């Protein structure tokens, strides 16, 4: 039976404990339940562990849940998201829908309702898994080789790098294969997940723009597909060990 990994994010330990003890995780076929207290820690865990569903509070110090869900949307689009909040503000719901959040709840979290939401998400994941298996059987019969498909996707990424949300589903549709199949052959051919490859490509092009042009950091950020220059700076430093400004000063031609 398919098992699922969860990440629970809340800056309040008692809230995490409530989720851990209040939800019937065994009924929900949970394999591992990870917990953390901040957006930055959540992102590190999402990069490290194979997470299926993230459940997060919105109000957290040092970066809120919306920023976390935005990172998931841009970098790990296959992960399903649910958020909860103590404030019934329309702007939260509006942003959540834009980012593809599955559902959201108001505090105090009604555990039975959360369980129902999770069950629906899991059923959707199971259906997607079946579709992937079927599509792979079809895709394997295609004449075009996997390396040619990957080369085409690399070119699509390079040509559309300024688009902020390059999604695997969209790329797969452009080369007429299933999303799951594309993810597998891309990883096999390049050693990278598509989302990780896109990040590295954005940073690589940003390096060239920083060293060879006088574009502002904000303009460079926009040209390589980052909606927020602050997020660009953070990602760039994670990848290179330097801020964009530090890199420019060191490598300006």
């Amino acid at each position: 039976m398919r098992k699922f990994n969860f990440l629970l994010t809340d800056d309040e330990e008692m809230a995490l404990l409530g989720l851990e003890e209040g939800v019937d995780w065994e009924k929900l076929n949970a394999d591992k339940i990870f917990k953390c207290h901040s957006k930055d820690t959540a992102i590190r865990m999402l990069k490290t562990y194979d997470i299926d569903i993230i459940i997060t509070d919105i109000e957290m110090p040092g970066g809120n849940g919306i920023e976390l869900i935005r990172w998931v949307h841009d970098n790990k689009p296959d992960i399903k998201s649910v958020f909860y909040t103590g404030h019934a503000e329309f702007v939260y719901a509006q942003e959540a829908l834009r980012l593809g959040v599955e559902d959201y709840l108001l505090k105090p979290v009604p555990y039975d309702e959360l369980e129902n939401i999770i069950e629906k998400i899991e059923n959707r994941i199971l259906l997607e898994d079946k579709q992937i298996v079927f599509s792979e059987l079809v895709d394997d019969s295609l004449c075009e080789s996997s390396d040619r498909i990957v080369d085409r996707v690399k070119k699509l990424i390079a040509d559309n790098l300024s688009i902020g949300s390059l999604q695997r589903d969209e790329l797969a549709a452009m080369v007429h294969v299933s999303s799951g199949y594309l993810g597998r052959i891309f990883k096999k051919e390049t050693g990278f997940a598509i989302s990780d490859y896109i990040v590295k490509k954005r940073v690589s092009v940003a390096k060239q723009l920083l060293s060879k042009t006088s574009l502002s950091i904000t303009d460079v950020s926009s040209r390589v597909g980052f909606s927020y220059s602050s997020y660009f700076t953070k990602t760039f430093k994670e990848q290179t060990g330097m801020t964009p400004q530090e890199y420019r000063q060191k490598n300006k031609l």
Side-chain angles (χ1 to χ4, degrees):
M1 179 178 291
R2 169 76 146 88
K3 295 289 186 178
F4 299 89
N5 293 334
F6 296 83
L7 175 60
L8 313 179
T9 305
D10 197 307
D11 62 305
E12 297 180 3
E13 181 61 33
M14 290 303 296
L16 289 177
L17 185 62
L19 285 173
E20 189 174 26
E21 296 185 352
V23 173
D24 187 348
W25 297 106
E26 184 176 357
K27 181 183 75 173
L28 295 171
N29 299 314
D31 184 15
K32 295 181 177 65
I33 301 172
F34 301 95
K35 299 183 297 179
C36 63
H37 300 88
S38 70
K39 181 203 74 174
D40 290 342
T41 304
I43 290 174
R44 286 197 294 270
M45 297 184 79
L46 289 166
K47 290 178 178 178
T48 304
Y49 302 108
D50 185 16
I51 305 295
D52 296 296
I53 301 170
I54 180 171
I55 302 168
T56 182
D57 188 13
I58 290 298
E59 294 85 11
M60 294 184 292
N64 63 37
I66 287 291
E67 293 171 348
L68 172 57
I69 297 302
R70 184 179 294 120
W71 184 93
V72 172
H73 176 269
D74 291 343
N75 296 276
K76 300 282 185 179
D78 291 338
I79 295 176
K80 310 300 184 186
S81 306
V82 178
F83 82 72
Y84 57 91
T85 176
H87 304 285
E89 295 188 21
F90 176 70
V91 65
Y92 284 162
Q94 188 178 44
E95 181 70 357
L97 291 173
R98 189 184 74 80
L99 295 172
V101 169
E102 300 293 325
D103 216 323
Y104 66 94
L105 298 165
L106 292 176
K107 289 182 176 180
V109 176
Y111 299 129
D112 56 344
E113 188 174 346
L114 178 58
E115 288 175 6
N116 290 335
I117 290 170
I118 292 172
E119 284 182 335
K120 290 178 182 178
I121 293 173
E122 290 180 347
N123 288 334
R124 190 174 299 119
I125 292 173
L126 291 173
L127 179 60
E128 290 173 356
D129 287 348
K130 289 179 181 178
Q131 290 173 336
I132 288 171
V133 171
F134 175 77
S135 296
E136 286 181 352
L137 293 174
V138 174
D139 293 334
D140 282 338
S141 67
L142 294 176
C143 295
E144 189 171 17
S145 63
S146 60
D147 59 333
R148 286 191 61 189
I149 293 173
V150 170
D151 286 344
R152 288 173 61 197
V153 170
K154 285 181 177 178
K155 187 174 187 308
L156 284 169
I157 291 171
D159 291 345
N160 296 278
L161 206 61
S162 62
I163 298 175
S165 57
L166 281 173
Q167 300 293 329
R168 189 177 74 181
D169 290 352
E170 296 170 351
L171 292 168
M174 292 178 186
V175 294
H176 309 294
V177 298
S178 72
S179 176
Y181 180 76
L182 176 59
R184 292 174 191 274
I185 64 171
F186 196 93
K187 181 69 176 289
K188 182 179 178 181
E189 294 287 337
T190 68
F192 296 105
I194 291 177
S195 57
D196 293 336
Y197 177 86
I198 291 173
V199 170
K200 290 183 179 297
K201 186 67 175 178
R202 292 191 199 281
V203 170
S204 176
V205 173
K207 285 180 178 179
Q208 296 178 38
L209 293 173
L210 289 167
S211 62
K212 297 179 181 179
T213 75
S214 58
L215 290 170
S216 68
I217 302 299
T218 299
D219 286 340
V220 171
S221 169
S222 177
R223 290 204 181 191
V224 296
F226 287 88
S227 302
Y228 301 92
S229 58
S230 58
Y231 182 51
F232 165 63
T233 297
K234 179 178 174 56
T235 302
F236 190 91
K237 188 170 184 179
E238 287 177 349
Q239 294 287 319
T240 67
M242 291 181 281
T243 66
Q245 189 61 42
E246 290 169 343
Y247 182 88
R248 166 169 277 169
Q249 291 173 351
K250 187 175 181 180
N251 296 277
K252 187 69 176 176
L253 298 179

